[in-house]
Amino acid sequence: MATAMTGRGMAFIRNVSGTLISRLQVLGGGPQQLSCLHTSSSLSSAKWEKKNRMMFPPQLPDEPRRPAEVYHCRRQIKYSKDKMWYLAKMIRGMSIDQAIAQLEFNDKKGAKIMKEVLLEAQEMAVRSHNVEYKSNLYLAESYTGKGTYLKRIRYHGRGMFGIMDKVYCHYFVKLVEGSPPKTEERTSLDQAKEYVQGLKNRTIIHGL
Amino acid sequence: MALPVRRTVAALFRPTCSSLKNLEAVLDVRHPGPLYLPVRTKKRFFIPPAVGTKVDNQDNQEDPEAMARAAGIVFRQEYMERPINISSSAGVFDPYIPPEGDARLSSLSKEGLKQRTEQIRQTAASQLAIRKIKEHDPEFTTKGFAEKAQEIFIEAHNALTHFNKEQLHSLVTERCYPEMTRGNRYKTIRWRFVESLEPPKVVHARCPDMVSKGNLYGQVTVRMHSKQTLAVYDRFGRLMLGSEDQPKDVLEYLVLERHLVNPYGRWRLHGKIVPSWAPAKDPIIKTVMIPGPDLKPWEEFDAVGYQVPKPEAVQWNK
């Protein structure tokens, strides 16, 4: 049987054996040989806390004063990240006093936790980050992230079950010294005018 | 249609397997075993662990130690220890009390002369201590030591500005190191020694022995009058304290210590004495909120008659 083979058959065999050998080599060599794989894979990373350790060189007297930035976060809050997002979006860009006032009178569960986080961050800023006035801060960034979920069984009828997620979320906040930046209010009329202007600015090429 | 194709493929593969084996045997090629073995009974679904139904919650809370032991977790024995450092003593013993108006009177006036004579005729305890130090360290002289002390001071502060931990540890004792570096990790310090206004002088010496009788530590106080510039910048590079261009006159009483019994001991900066009559330091470039008096709910705060409490003027050694 081995002797009765055509030339094409032999080429096919050589290809197959070549791919098999290379595949086995790849399996044996492991992920170090491939450079396109991610090398750091861990669920818990503490990058936000490390941002507070950034040092800047001393400023020259003619440079504008650099505003202080304070990063704070709280991990594994027992709340949904989507529900928390509504509150985070609401206070984005507000001054810290306004944000604390809004959260105090909000009925959601996440509002109480968020207010604690903001007060902690304010205290930290005044005590260890050389912020002069505790009201002179505004929220530059505030967003939520997914925490590590616990999985439980949710029992349905007829012996069926579903996997229930016990949701946790993280909340990140960055306070910057200064008054909050003014966002320009664009009305619909302005937007319509800009659209019409864009249409008028078109140039017709290769036309008569 | 499928059957003949499969048979031909199988027919093709049978010879390939045998030829491969022959090839491998000939070339002596070794392949590691495949990592993914298809197993028919592999579990493909995930059931999360049921909480609260199997184990009674009460048992868990009552005896966690027994549960841990049953589970097989072994804890290492906890040692109630507190580390003690022998290479430096814990404080300044019998601190030197600098006389009032030390730097303000010049040597030419009558009061200044009296002060100088008092200082020159040191107390007996200091002389005894210096004699004991000379026993252990034969090269010790009051004049030479004062110069060396100033050099150590300048080098230590330069190491602090560059934050060279190893050099700082060799120039400064373990008791002084945290005092010098507390809160400075995320700050930039710029310090410069401009000049010395008066030559440094040894004013005080003590030789206490700690714990056991022969364990001698020598502590010598040196008086220094010099010009220095200090500027402290915070994490963001903004000036917190002082200025780089304006030098200030500084009168300091440094305490240097050496573990005399240790043959590898060195004279290191141990601390500073701040006299009670020292002038107040410059304020920091920041407004600080001072907490007001504790009020009851029905009381009101009277801002007009309120005086900010000042700390009492006591000599303290840093």
Side-chain angles (χ1 to χ4, degrees):
Chain A
M1 219 169 25
T3 51
M5 270 201 261
T6 56
R8 254 174 131 201
M10 282 298 289
F12 173 69
I13 289 157
R14 242 182 265 123
N15 284 342
V16 162
S17 56
T19 48
L20 265 176
I21 288 167
S22 58
R23 217 177 277 165
L24 285 171
Q25 268 180 346
V26 158
L27 280 173
Q32 275 79 34
Q33 284 183 4
L34 298 172
S35 59
C36 54
L37 280 177
H38 299 286
T39 44
S40 69
S41 56
S42 66
L43 268 177
S44 62
S45 62
K47 284 199 219 166
W48 199 255
E49 286 91 339
K50 285 188 195 157
K51 285 186 186 246
N52 265 337
R53 301 198 202 159
M54 254 192 321
M55 285 239 349
F56 292 91
Q59 280 185 301
L60 304 161
D62 50 344
E63 272 179 39
R65 193 174 156 93
R66 193 181 279 128
E69 293 173 351
V70 177
Y71 295 87
H72 193 45
C73 66
R74 191 180 281 206
R75 307 273 182 184
Q76 297 295 112
I77 305 169
K78 184 73 191 69
Y79 202 49
S80 158
K81 71 173 179 1
D82 301 312
K83 295 179 193 167
M84 197 75 149
W85 180 86
Y86 288 108
L87 294 162
K89 177 81 180 133
M90 177 177 83
I91 62 172
R92 218 172 268 177
M94 283 187 187
S95 69
I96 191 154
D97 285 340
Q98 195 190 0
I100 291 173
Q102 291 291 330
L103 290 172
E104 196 175 319
F105 296 104
N106 193 307
D107 296 327
K108 289 187 190 266
K109 171 172 144 183
K112 194 165 147 191
I113 301 162
M114 236 190 235
K115 192 181 114 166
E116 279 170 33
V117 173
L118 287 182
L119 286 168
E120 268 174 27
Q122 195 185 37
E123 181 66 39
M124 243 168 60
V126 170
R127 201 184 303 176
S128 36
H129 293 94
N130 197 29
V131 163
E132 207 167 338
Y133 304 107
K134 66 175 192 180
S135 302
N136 198 23
L137 295 159
Y138 72 92
L139 283 140
E141 284 172 25
S142 106
Y143 56 86
T144 57
K146 171 178 173 260
T148 47
Y149 292 172
L150 294 173
K151 296 194 201 290
R152 299 284 177 263
I153 303 179
R154 193 195 183 278
Y155 300 97
H156 291 273
R158 283 169 163 251
M160 307 284 261
F161 66 92
I163 308 178
M164 183 163 60
D165 283 330
K166 295 283 180 188
V167 292
Y168 287 88
C169 66
H170 307 310
Y171 176 58
F172 305 98
V173 77
K174 170 175 158 182
L175 298 172
V176 174
E177 203 177 6
S179 55
K182 287 192 190 30
T183 52
E184 223 185 78
E185 295 268 334
R186 285 175 79 222
T187 58
S188 49
L189 189 65
D190 287 332
Q191 283 181 327
K193 275 191 204 166
E194 274 180 36
Y195 174 66
V196 169
Q197 195 58 42
L199 290 175
K200 287 181 183 171
N201 287 346
R202 294 178 297 183
T203 49
I204 304 168
I205 52 170
H206 302 317
L208 291 165
Chain B
M1 247 300 265
L3 269 175
V5 170
R6 238 190 26 207
R7 242 188 263 145
T8 46
V9 167
L12 268 173
F13 266 112
R14 248 182 268 122
T16 55
C17 290
S18 58
S19 73
L20 262 178
K21 279 182 202 150
N22 288 340
L23 261 171
E24 282 170 28
V26 162
L27 296 172
D28 199 13
V29 172
R30 263 178 257 282
H31 299 300
L35 289 174
Y36 300 103
L37 287 167
V39 175
R40 202 161 59 93
T41 54
K42 183 181 185 302
K43 189 171 81 164
R44 288 176 193 282
F45 48 84
F46 164 67
I47 301 175
V51 172
T53 46
K54 274 192 194 165
V55 185
D56 204 11
N57 282 331
Q58 289 288 321
D59 278 338
N60 266 356
Q61 277 154 23
E62 269 170 12
D63 204 359
E65 279 185 35
M67 294 293 295
R69 241 182 292 137
I73 308 167
V74 181
F75 287 110
R76 202 196 284 190
Q77 192 191 21
E78 290 178 22
Y79 296 102
M80 299 295 194
E81 278 177 354
R82 206 170 154 222
I84 311 171
N85 209 310
I86 326 174
S87 47
S88 85
S89 52
V92 183
F93 291 92
D94 207 0
Y96 171 63
I97 303 170
E100 265 219 47
D102 197 3
R104 281 187 255 146
L105 300 168
S106 76
S107 309
L108 302 170
S109 64
K110 205 168 92 179
E111 288 89 19
L113 266 176
K114 245 202 289 186
Q115 251 188 22
R116 295 290 173 271
T117 45
E118 274 176 33
Q119 279 173 6
I120 289 164
R121 194 185 20 91
Q122 278 171 359
T123 53
S126 287
Q127 294 288 351
L128 262 174
I130 290 173
R131 217 178 296 158
K132 251 197 224 172
I133 292 169
K134 281 192 181 154
E135 271 175 51
H136 289 273
D137 185 13
E139 297 162 349
F140 183 84
T141 51
T142 37
K143 286 195 190 115
F145 183 73
E147 302 287 328
K148 227 172 49 167
Q150 192 167 55
E151 280 168 35
I152 292 173
F153 174 79
I154 296 171
E155 265 181 47
H157 281 70
N158 283 332
L160 182 65
T161 50
H162 302 296
F163 205 67
N164 191 349
K165 266 197 243 182
E166 292 90 14
Q167 207 192 3
L168 203 56
H169 268 292
S170 68
L171 292 162
V172 147
T173 59
E174 284 78 25
R175 181 230 174 223
C176 184
Y177 180 83
E179 281 178 8
M180 271 183 110
T181 54
R182 186 162 293 143
N184 292 344
R185 187 137 63 125
Y186 302 116
K187 295 194 175 73
T188 327
I189 301 175
R190 290 229 176 117
W191 180 86
R192 202 160 54 92
F193 188 85
V194 182
E195 58 166 359
S196 169
L197 296 166
E198 283 175 20
K201 243 182 5 165
V202 171
V203 287
H204 193 75
R206 286 284 183 273
C207 240
D209 40 354
M210 309 281 297
V211 185
S212 61
K213 194 170 173 284
N215 193 19
L216 281 174
Y217 291 89
Q219 288 182 351
V220 180
T221 314
V222 174
R223 173 190 178 277
M224 257 180 58
H225 195 41
S226 55
K227 253 196 199 167
Q228 297 164 19
T229 54
L230 177 68
V232 176
Y233 297 90
D234 66 355
R235 226 184 92 210
F236 306 101
R238 311 180 300 187
L239 189 63
M240 261 175 97
L241 181 63
S243 88
E244 269 190 81
D245 307 319
Q246 180 73 339
K248 288 213 165 6
D249 297 341
V250 167
L251 175 65
E252 277 171 339
Y253 297 92
L254 306 168
V255 178
L256 289 108
E257 195 199 51
R258 177 178 160 165
H259 190 187
L260 296 166
V261 185
N262 182 7
Y264 303 109
R266 270 183 287 187
W267 285 104
R268 297 185 293 176
L269 196 59
H270 191 58
K272 264 195 222 182
I273 294 180
V274 180
S276 50
W277 43 265
K281 289 199 252 190
D282 281 343
I284 50 172
I285 307 170
K286 186 177 138 159
T287 44
V288 179
M289 209 166 73
I290 301 171
D294 291 328
L295 295 171
K296 293 276 166 26
W298 57 87
E299 281 173 18
E300 262 191 43
F301 176 59
D302 186 15
V304 179
Y306 185 69
Q307 277 172 354
V308 175
K310 285 208 182 99
E312 44 177 85
V314 174
Q315 171 174 313
W316 53 288
N317 20 324
K318 199 174 188 297

